[in-house]
Amino acid sequence: MGLFHRQNKTMRRLLPTALALAFLATACAPTPPRPGAPATLQALPDTPLTAPQRQQWLDRVTWGANDGTDAELQRLGLKDWLARQLRPQSLPALPAQAQQLVDALDISHTPMDTLVRDLEAQRKASQDAATPEQRIELRQAYQRRLNQLGTEAQKRFVVRALYSPAQLQEQMTWFWMNHFSVSLRKADIRAWVGDYEEQAIRPHALGRFRDLLQASLRHPAMLRYLDNASNAAGRINENYARELLELHTMGVGSGYTQADVQEMARVLTGVGISLQPADAPPPRLRPERRADYVRAGFFEFNPNRHDYGPKSFLGQPLHARGLAEVDEALDRIVASPATARFIARKLAVFFIADEPPPALVERTAQAFARSHGDIAATVSALLTAPEAADFGRKFRDPMHYVLAATRLSVDQRVAADVTPVLGWINRLGQNLYAHETPDGYPQTQSDWAGSGQMAARFEVARQIATRSAVLFRVDPKAPLEQPPYARLSELASVRARLPQWSAATQAALAQARQPADWNTYFLSAPEMMFR
């Protein structure tokens, strides 16, 4: 309680009274309506958008509007801009300086099999140490290496979120990483999470849901996190089967039964991991099962561990055998109307509203089903549906808030080090890839709008507003450039927002005596908590 009161005292001292009260009241304030949006992508108008309309689309589709993205949307027009966002392969690559930051990371240039081999050698060396002191030292070195790999994955994500032209792909990559959540706090997931994002999630973020589901299922990060690597005939582990149905596809209360969970767990027996070299021989198998063995990278389907007994799933028998039985079950799950509705609603909550209109969810589910799970088509239908246009604004979770404030402050200038951004996100309690349970971070206002969270946001806003130059300092001990902040009031994308903001916020901004104060008031404003 002492810390909370000190934070509130600091807030009251630094913010004009009207703005401080509005900031703390954000959790219960009604959200203002938003300008209308066209019904379909094909019907989007060719006429130029107004500045508020551009802000609406940018805040909805990207990680946050800034001058660079606003100019691009204004130049292309909404129809072409959104079509390009839905096809990320048509967009330019990262800016060269940002790509250099990504390329410098070990996870970007060291093959995963090399990382795994080196980590396994470190782990075994710690076990075989001659003395307790050596064992402790080697274990600490092993943990430091795991921490480094996990942190590198976080940094790579932040660099792309800040600077990638493919902003919708970046949002969808985070959405699916949170949907198919793994936690780097378990076992050695820190070593795998970067590869999980890069190989399983990112390539399919706007592709087909069926491909995404399979890629997640076959990756060691998911198989380790939800324990399917230990799921075998005679030693059934239901963890992954349960979350696959409850959290990843159909959703709780959708009609599947505990018997379906048990049958799915049997289907998934033998689905696991192999850390053997690619040229290593397969395990010894009965002749009639040898053709069923599959090894692809680190994924392995081992017939010796699979339950080949007959199974019935979602009310119908399964006819395939071996790994093909897994594929048959996944096809059945993805084709279920329950999966379409579950994914549609979760997308609507992420992009539109905490309680999206049922008609919007239904329209989006129909797009999912009609396109056979095409994610780009589903997102397009969601974003351009008439029900999405006038439903108010969406409260920013910590990830959206920090990235939006940072993108606005740095615009297209590439940071030398994004570690401070990770610190700001962590300060607000949404550490990347670190949610303890497999349901991922919540996305509703009630989860993130408490008084403690708002007080912490003020402190983060103040740091970004007054010390954004920390991002451009190569040496952490070097002095900050002067002034150590951007002049937000001079940005076109900032000026475009102000006429839509409340009189109380504008009055508070008018009281700012210097640019650093103005920045702080602006980033702390209740309106900045929404997108």
Side-chain angles (χ1 to χ4, degrees), residues 28-356:
C28 57
T31 60
R34 305 189 71 164
T40 65
L41 185 60
Q42 293 74 22
L44 290 173
D46 295 318
T47 54
L49 298 175
T50 65
Q53 287 173 328
R54 293 197 307 274
Q55 293 290 319
Q56 169 197 337
W57 279 98
L58 290 170
D59 280 343
R60 180 173 290 181
V61 174
T62 78
W63 277 110
N66 56 21
D67 278 14
T69 54
D70 184 59
E72 180 187 34
L73 176 53
Q74 195 168 7
R75 176 177 59 85
L76 293 173
L78 178 59
K79 185 184 297 184
D80 188 29
W81 178 81
L82 185 55
R84 285 157 62 94
Q85 288 295 320
L86 290 163
R87 297 192 306 273
Q89 65 274 14
S90 69
L91 291 165
L94 272 175
Q97 193 175 348
Q99 188 61 50
Q100 290 173 5
L101 292 177
V102 170
D103 292 342
L105 302 171
D106 276 2
I107 60 171
S108 296
H109 58 77
T110 305
M112 194 64 203
D113 56 352
T114 301
L115 290 176
V116 169
R117 184 176 61 248
D118 293 347
L119 282 167
E120 185 64 10
Q122 275 190 285
R123 188 187 66 81
K124 289 184 177 179
S126 68
Q127 290 180 333
D128 298 338
T131 66
E133 292 77 12
Q134 289 179 334
R135 186 177 301 112
I136 291 172
E137 182 179 348
L138 291 171
R139 282 180 179 172
Q140 290 175 341
Y142 174 67
Q143 292 297 326
R144 284 194 299 271
R145 180 58 169 161
L146 288 176
N147 290 340
Q148 176 196 348
L149 296 174
T151 300
E152 287 192 357
Q154 295 171 328
K155 287 182 176 180
R156 183 167 64 183
F157 173 83
V158 167
V159 169
R160 288 167 167 166
L162 291 176
Y163 303 111
S164 173
Q167 281 288 294
L168 181 57
Q169 182 187 36
E170 295 308 316
Q171 280 228 69
M172 290 306 300
T173 297
W174 168 247
F175 173 84
W176 293 122
M177 282 294 288
N178 198 49
H179 179 81
F180 295 103
S181 180
V182 300
S183 176
L184 47 72
R185 291 174 175 167
K186 179 173 180 177
D188 63 348
I189 301 297
R190 285 164 288 176
W192 294 100
V193 70
D195 188 76
Y196 180 58
E197 179 184 313
E198 194 74 359
Q199 302 301 326
I201 304 299
R202 180 174 294 276
H204 307 292
L206 282 165
R208 291 202 173 272
F209 180 77
R210 173 64 174 78
D211 297 335
L212 174 63
L213 179 63
Q214 177 169 298
S216 173
L217 179 148
R218 293 189 174 200
H219 196 276
M222 180 58 71
L223 294 172
R224 282 189 186 276
Y225 178 59
L226 290 178
D227 305 315
N228 207 81
S230 62
N231 183 22
R235 299 192 306 277
I236 299 293
N237 188 309
E238 297 179 3
N239 286 358
Y240 181 41
R242 179 174 294 103
E243 308 306 356
L244 175 66
L245 294 173
E246 177 178 329
L247 299 178
H248 298 170
T249 57
M250 298 178 68
V252 66
S254 59
Y256 70 85
T257 67
Q258 175 59 23
D260 290 317
V261 172
Q262 294 168 340
E263 291 293 85
M264 191 66 207
R266 292 179 60 215
V267 169
L268 291 169
T269 52
V271 171
I273 303 167
S274 173
L275 301 183
Q276 296 295 317
D279 57 355
R284 296 181 60 182
L285 299 163
R286 293 161 55 181
E288 67 271 21
R289 301 279 168 81
R290 289 173 185 166
D292 289 351
Y293 181 78
V294 176
R295 183 192 293 164
F298 297 105
F299 172 77
E300 178 184 62
F301 177 78
N302 188 338
N304 288 339
R305 299 169 58 83
H306 184 63
D307 181 343
Y308 277 86
K311 305 175 187 72
S312 179
F313 181 62
L314 298 180
Q316 299 291 330
L318 291 168
H319 304 289
R321 290 168 53 84
L323 186 58
E325 186 179 60
V326 178
D327 293 335
E328 182 183 2
L330 293 187
D331 289 341
R332 193 173 295 180
I333 292 169
V334 174
S336 168
T339 296
R341 288 191 296 270
F342 183 74
I343 298 300
R345 190 180 192 284
K346 194 161 185 179
L347 284 167
V349 170
F350 182 78
F351 280 108
I352 307 299
D354 293 358
E355 292 295 335

Side-chain angles (χ1 to χ4, degrees), residues 458-481:
F458 169 74
E459 293 298 332
V460 168
R462 184 176 59 81
Q463 291 178 36
I464 299 173
T466 62
R467 291 173 54 84
S468 57
V470 71
L471 299 172
F472 308 108
R473 185 172 58 180
V474 177
D475 182 356
K477 297 181 180 179
L480 294 178
E481 63 186 27

